[in-house]
Amino acid sequence: QVQLMESGGGSVQAGGSLRLSCAVSGYTSNRAIMGWFRQAPGKEREGIACIFGQNTYYRDSVKGRFTISQNKTNTTVYIEMNSLKPEDTAMYYCAVGGRRYPSLREDDYRYWGQGTQVTVSS
């Protein structure tokens, strides 16, 4: 059974930083495509970053501010978020089992975590 558990969310002021982690268990692929998504209130979920080996890809709105990474065993995926803005406020989700790279489409990912809330105040 594949399980994903996000952590690291919280409340920060604009300009601050947070690092989210996603612990993955039960997923055996050593060539995993992993991604981070977010959903703000009243908006659709959007992909913000994905990673495949040493390759990374970002949505324009987070490029240069967010960094996705993973550990060597693909059991944890991270996203370092700097220079946070109020518009970054959302529930953040990790996903694994991507069908293609790069992809920020949620229907390209098979397994999902429950999410962790990030709130950025001005």
Side-chain angles (χ1 to χ4, degrees), residues 17-67:
S17 299
L18 282 173
R19 188 192 196 206
L20 307 183
S21 300
C22 174
V24 181
S25 61
Y27 191 74
T28 58
S29 173
N30 60 2
R31 295 278 291 173
I33 300 170
M34 311 171 106
W36 281 96
F37 291 73
R38 67 185 180 187
Q39 187 169 21
K43 295 188 177 181
E44 293 186 352
R45 188 154 57 182
E46 64 178 11
I48 57 173
C50 61
I51 186 167
F52 181 47
Q54 300 298 315
N55 302 296
T56 57
Y57 183 81
Y58 299 92
R59 172 176 291 275
D60 285 347
S61 61
V62 307
K63 200 175 296 182
R65 299 189 298 124
F66 291 11
T67 303

Side-chain angles (χ1 to χ4, degrees), residues 37 46-47 99-100 102-109 112:
F37 291 73
E46 64 178 11
R99 296 189 298 170
R100 70 194 81 194
S103 175
L104 298 179
R105 292 172 51 94
E106 63 177 298
D107 57 5
D108 276 340
Y109 290 80
W112 292 82

